[in-house]
Amino acid sequence: MSTVQTKRIRTATCWLALLCLVFPMFGSYFFDDIFSSLSQLFSAPEQLELGWNQKDYGFYASGYSVLCVFGGLIICGILLDIYGVRIVGSIFVSMMILGAALIWFALQHGFSPSVSVKIAFAGKMLFGLGSEIAGVAVTRSIAKWFKGRNMALAMGLHLAIARLGTAAALIISPMLLATKLSGEMYSLTETARPALTGLMLLLAGGILWAIFVAMDLRFDRTMQISTDRGEIKEEDKFRFSDIIKVLRNPRFIMIALLCVFFYCCIISFKKFGTAILIPRFEMDVDSAKWMLSLIPFFTVVFTPLFGAFVDKVGKATRWMLVGAGLVFLSHLIILLAPQGEPFYGYLAISLLGIGYSLVPSAMWPSVAKIIPEKNLGTAYSLLYWIQNIGLMLIPILVGNILDKAATAMIGAKNAEYIFVILGIISIIVSVLLIRSSRKHPELHLDEPVK
């Protein structure tokens, strides 16, 4: 076999490995957003045999981040460094599937609302930690397989396909539930149908992950890569003092604050998207789901483009400010736009999608400029940990606001005040980051990639 043929086979094998890696993440994003375009249902718990209200739904949604916040994300990230992606990744892909199965069981079995929401919350905790660590394992695996190849393209495709899982959930979940007339009841089977669909996708993803594990083991044998963790260089070993070093970096703290406030403006909003958009713009469920799905569709298109743009022109901190400003403007439009005018909803969500594409394109690469390479794993784990604190608390707050409001319209506006405030804080932090970059040009935060 010629060298060219061998190279082609290896390239094809890499892309096959990528397919096996990204599908579990597609399923994860899908399952996480199975109720995002159905959140308005919880405003009328009397029509749900499940019996959940907005407060219950907010409590359930917050479960994703609980184990991540209380040490799980950092501890499991360390385990990933010690034992590798095949062992630890397999454990957490399995945990993700187990958590999803527990949620489906809680929705389907006919428990009282107070019992079902607690069981679903426990499932969401397992699913959330499994998803986060599985995502880290997938990212590290892509970096390994595509080293010296099309790594940026592979990473971009991974993110794009994963976010298509969100778009699919926003569009498909309402299709799985027949529209009910006033007074008609949604059965447990109907309510659980989106969860069952997501669970099937996750099971398929688990099978593909198992195929990848076999491919990865063969890859190591072919490349003669040792799996003995004891061969790690002394200077590259994890130390708990690394956490302190990262947390003492003021630029890291600014990026972490931007991360948590900015992502809460989008991810937490998305959980209650239809419950806010429907009363504000007097839309039906079908129109609201398509409006909300613009968020992932915009990110799929614009995130790789903005990433290349930031690499070329630099000015990363300025683009973070622009993105934060767009998200703030988006929520301000949703809050203040004329009642019942869908045009303003489409405008706001479009701005939100663009901002959601711009900030991550500038923010995540900036971490590598302010943190030494050997501490990057610790830094990213800490960022995810801090982000999950907000993602745990904000859904509980918004769920309570929507549940206590006299009308759906009042609840939607009151919830938007939270997101507007978060947007203002994001802008303030972005400005502070720009000032810090100007004072420390040696960090090269705003320089293009040479």
Side-chain angles (χ1 to χ4, degrees):
M1 186 179 294
S2 68
T3 304
V4 173
Q5 288 176 315
T6 302
K7 186 175 181 181
R8 286 176 179 174
I9 291 173
R10 288 180 178 175
T11 300
T13 304
C14 286
W15 291 113
L16 178 59
L18 180 65
L19 174 64
C20 294
L21 287 167
V22 299
F23 200 86
M25 292 296 98
F26 176 91
S28 170
Y29 275 58
F30 183 98
F31 194 93
D32 190 39
D33 280 304
I34 53 173
F35 287 130
S36 292
S37 54
L38 298 171
S39 58
Q40 77 286 348
L41 295 179
F42 303 110
S43 298
E46 67 279 0
Q47 285 191 265
L48 296 172
E49 189 179 351
L50 183 65
W52 289 10
N53 56 27
Q54 290 286 6
K55 182 179 179 180
D56 293 327
Y57 173 60
F59 175 70
Y60 156 78
S62 71
Y64 183 97
S65 301
V66 172
L67 290 179
C68 299
V69 168
F70 291 101
L73 188 58
I74 296 175
I75 293 172
C76 295
I78 295 171
L79 293 176
L80 195 63
D81 284 337
I82 296 173
Y83 295 107
V85 297
R86 288 195 294 269
I87 295 175
V88 178
S90 296
I91 291 172
F92 286 97
V93 168
S94 300
M95 181 184 289
M96 179 171 66
I97 296 171
L98 176 63
L102 189 58
I103 292 168
W104 173 75
F105 173 77
L107 298 173
Q108 176 71 32
H109 201 268
F111 297 106
S112 67
S114 61
V115 173
S116 65
V117 74
K118 290 174 183 175
I119 296 174
F121 180 80
K124 192 74 167 179
M125 288 194 296
L126 294 175
F127 172 80
L129 183 59
S131 296
E132 291 291 302
I133 300 301
V136 176
V138 166
T139 301
R140 288 188 55 175
S141 298
I142 293 173
K144 170 185 173 181
W145 274 71
F146 284 86
K147 184 176 182 180
R149 300 176 186 267
N150 305 100
M151 187 186 300
L153 176 59
M155 291 283 188
L157 286 171
H158 162 234
L159 180 59
I161 293 171
R163 288 182 174 177
L164 281 176
T166 292
L170 295 175
I171 294 169
I172 293 173
S173 288
M175 295 179 179
L176 297 174
L177 274 69
T179 302
K180 300 288 186 179
L181 299 174
S182 178
E184 289 186 313
M185 183 77 70
Y186 285 94
S187 69
L188 292 173
T189 300
E190 289 176 308
T191 310
R193 201 173 289 154
L196 179 60
T197 304
L199 179 58
M200 293 300 102
L201 289 172
L202 286 171
L203 287 170
I207 294 171
L208 288 173
W209 172 264
I211 294 172
F212 167 76
V213 168
M215 293 176 66
D216 192 60
L217 184 60
R218 183 177 180 181
F219 177 90
D220 282 359
R221 289 172 177 171
T222 302
M223 302 299 291
Q224 297 182 337
I225 297 174
S226 172
T227 57
D228 181 1
R229 309 302 294 177
E231 294 184 3
I232 298 175
K233 294 179 181 179
E234 184 65 29
E235 63 268 23
D236 290 333
K237 289 181 180 178
F238 174 82
R239 295 180 176 84
F240 283 98
S241 60
D242 291 340
I243 297 176
I244 304 301
K245 291 178 182 178
V246 172
L247 290 175
R248 291 176 64 182
N249 187 317
R251 262 69 57 188
F252 174 82
I253 295 299
M254 293 176 196
I255 289 177
L257 291 174
L258 176 61
C259 181
V260 64
F261 291 119
F262 176 81
Y263 274 95
C264 283
C265 282
I266 298 164
I267 296 176
S268 297
F269 165 78
K270 188 156 48 72
K271 298 297 181 189
F272 299 91
T274 54
I276 293 172
L277 296 175
I278 288 175
R280 280 298 290 120
F281 301 109
E282 297 178 358
M283 312 173 72
D284 56 29
V285 175
D286 194 55
S287 299
K289 77 178 184 185
W290 285 107
M291 180 182 289
L292 197 60
S293 69
L294 288 177
I295 298 174
F297 281 130
F298 266 82
T299 61
V300 166
V301 174
F302 287 108
T303 300
L305 295 177
F306 285 148
F309 181 74
V310 172
D311 280 342
K312 184 174 180 62
V313 305
K315 310 296 182 184
T317 59
R318 275 73 167 176
W319 296 119
M320 291 184 222
L321 176 60
V322 173
L326 288 174
V327 170
F328 164 72
L329 180 60
S330 168
H331 284 295
L332 199 63
I333 291 172
I334 295 173
L335 176 64
L336 302 177
Q339 177 70 16
E341 295 289 342
F343 166 78
Y344 292 99
Y346 284 106
L347 174 62
I349 295 301
S350 298
L351 294 175
L352 193 70
I354 295 172
Y356 190 24
S357 304
L358 188 50
V359 171
S361 299
M363 180 174 65
W364 294 110
S366 296
V367 178
K369 295 183 177 181
I370 61 173
I371 300 294
E373 184 176 352
K374 79 182 192 75
N375 293 333
L376 274 179
T378 300
Y380 282 121
S381 293
L382 286 170
L383 275 179
Y384 284 127
W385 176 66
I386 294 168
Q387 174 185 314
N388 273 277
I389 294 175
L391 297 180
M392 179 182 70
L393 297 177
I394 297 301
I396 296 175
L397 177 60
V398 174
N400 276 273
I401 288 173
L402 292 173
D403 187 59
K404 293 178 180 179
T407 66
M409 170 66 175
I410 293 173
K413 280 200 164 187
N414 290 343
E416 273 304 306
Y417 281 116
I418 300 298
F419 296 119
V420 167
I421 292 170
L422 293 173
I424 292 172
I425 298 173
S426 298
I427 290 174
I428 293 171
V429 174
S430 299
V431 171
L432 293 175
L433 192 57
I434 290 174
R435 292 182 61 185
S436 181
S437 176
R438 288 174 177 171
K439 290 181 180 179
H440 297 275
E442 72 277 5
L443 297 175
H444 311 295
L445 270 175
D446 288 313
E447 290 188 7
V449 175
K450 296 180 180 179

